[in-house]
Amino acid sequence: MSDDDVAKRLFTAEFDDEFQVGEHETDRAYFGRDVLRGLIDGIGEFTHHPQPRWQTFRSDGPALLGSAMWINDAELIDRLGDLAAACVVVSKQGRRPTELRKLAPLAKLNERTPGMPIQAFSELTGLAPKENDRPVVIGPYSRMYDGSIPTIRTLGFRRTATPGGGMPPIIHAKMALLGHLWWHDEDDSPAGVVDVRGFTPVRLWISSANFTSSSRRSLEFGFWTENPDLLAGANRFLVKLMRSSEALDPASDSFDPDLAPVEFDDEAIWQAIGDMRYDGLAPDEWE
């Protein structure tokens, strides 16, 4: 196809529009081509030129939860690397050579970024990566899992060659929830000192545009909002996706979350309690 033929197959600027929606100037809507620019610029604005109302006490830095059918836009991937934490859940990909090659930039992103700390979300408390496809067993001297979920995760089902199998359901929600990780070390308990982390959502991107470079050529829409009900709803939805997500290239073709509630070895725990002794005290004086 010649350059002239390619030019004839592109939409023109007549469809492009950008305007304010809502009470804040930063709540903007984008229509037409290159709508993904609105998301990328919004992340940069939040990270490098934040509004005073976006500030959070004891912030560990800007963070993002997101979902899309797929992500491959190089500029957006670079933007995710600027954040203190991020987790974007995309549809599970196939394993043909061309599909596996698509995973390479995302695997590198996962290697160079911290992911999202599991401790920041109460809904993820008590979860841990499975071991040999089984939940982790916690004994009397074990620690609860306090690691991170990688930046790019997958969810759902691979398309198979089974006759009549058709296209499996996919993640079609394209959204990005920007906010802050935060921490505090104050508590009402007798100890008085704890290490608490959390995530506070601040602004939400909703769009028809996938997180892909090809979406820039299509006619799409997208907008930023700080509506508190939408922030709360998006947060619930995206945390559920993160809770049920899998690795970038999981072995399973089916829906098979690799985080599971831990199991407790009750017998070993009670045995350890029974073995506890207090020096110098008779059994009836134990507290």
Side-chain angles (χ1 to χ4, degrees):
M1 184 179 293
S2 68
D3 291 343
D4 288 341
D5 290 334
V6 172
K8 291 177 183 178
R9 295 172 64 86
L10 295 177
F11 291 114
T12 63
E14 65 177 302
F15 301 102
D16 299 346
D17 197 9
E18 176 183 342
F19 51 92
Q20 180 177 336
V21 290
E23 61 178 303
H24 304 297
E25 196 277 333
T26 50
D27 292 343
R28 303 195 65 75
Y30 303 80
F31 285 81
R33 306 167 305 163
D34 198 13
V35 163
L36 197 63
R37 169 181 55 86
L39 170 60
I40 293 169
D41 289 349
I43 295 174
E45 181 181 44
F46 189 80
T47 304
H48 301 295
H49 306 286
Q51 299 287 316
R53 68 180 181 279
W54 296 342
Q55 302 301 314
T56 298
F57 181 62
R58 288 185 175 176
S59 173
D60 276 339
L64 180 147
L65 300 179
S67 66
M69 181 176 174
W70 185 238
I71 177 172
N72 67 12
D73 187 82
E75 189 177 3
L76 177 57
I77 290 172
D78 286 344
R79 275 282 190 264
L80 294 180
D82 293 338
L83 300 169
C87 185
V88 177
V89 184
V90 299
S91 294
K92 189 179 294 183
Q93 300 299 298
R95 280 188 149 174
R96 293 178 298 181
T98 55
E99 293 169 318
L100 290 175
R101 285 195 292 270
K102 295 193 307 181
L103 301 179
L106 302 179
K108 291 180 180 178
L109 177 66
N110 281 351
E111 290 173 0
R112 72 173 188 267
T113 52
M116 185 65 70
I118 199 169
Q119 288 181 316
F121 302 91
S122 60
E123 300 90 337
L124 306 184
T125 301
L127 299 182
K130 296 177 185 175
E131 294 182 351
N132 299 318
D133 290 327
R134 297 289 304 166
V136 170
V137 177
I138 297 294
Y141 308 108
S142 305
R143 293 185 59 183
M144 294 294 289
Y145 180 71
D146 60 357
S148 296
I149 300 176
T151 301
I152 304 296
R153 298 280 283 175
T154 62
L155 183 146
F157 312 86
R158 285 194 181 94
R159 187 171 186 174
T160 65
T162 304
M167 184 72 178
I170 59 173
I171 299 178
H172 212 257
K174 298 97 172 180
M175 61 177 65
L177 185 63
L178 273 172
H180 284 278
L181 289 179
W182 52 263
W183 66 276
H184 72 75
D185 57 1
E186 299 170 359
D187 188 46
D188 294 331
S189 66
V193 178
V194 293
D195 184 13
V196 178
R197 303 191 73 182
F199 171 76
T200 298
V202 175
R203 62 188 316 216
L204 173 66
W205 171 261
I206 300 174
S207 171
S208 68
N210 249 320
F211 296 173
T212 59
S213 55
S214 62
S215 75
R216 295 176 182 262
R217 301 192 301 271
S218 300
L219 298 183
E220 309 274 7
F221 86 93
F223 66 94
W224 285 105
T225 179
E226 297 178 29
N227 178 280
D229 293 328
L230 285 173
L231 292 179
N235 188 73
R236 290 193 299 270
F237 175 74
L238 292 169
V239 171
K240 288 176 184 177
L241 290 186
M242 188 165 54
R243 180 188 179 100
S244 298
S245 65
E246 301 174 55
L248 184 59
D249 182 30
S252 174
D253 291 336
S254 300
F255 180 72
D256 186 21
D258 60 15
L259 293 173
V262 301
E263 296 181 353
F264 294 94
D265 187 340
D266 294 332
E267 183 177 349
I269 292 173
W270 281 111
Q271 180 64 45
I273 293 174
D275 290 341
M276 293 174 62
R277 296 293 186 269
Y278 291 88
D279 291 341
L281 295 179
D284 58 356
E285 296 176 301
W286 297 349
E287 294 181 358

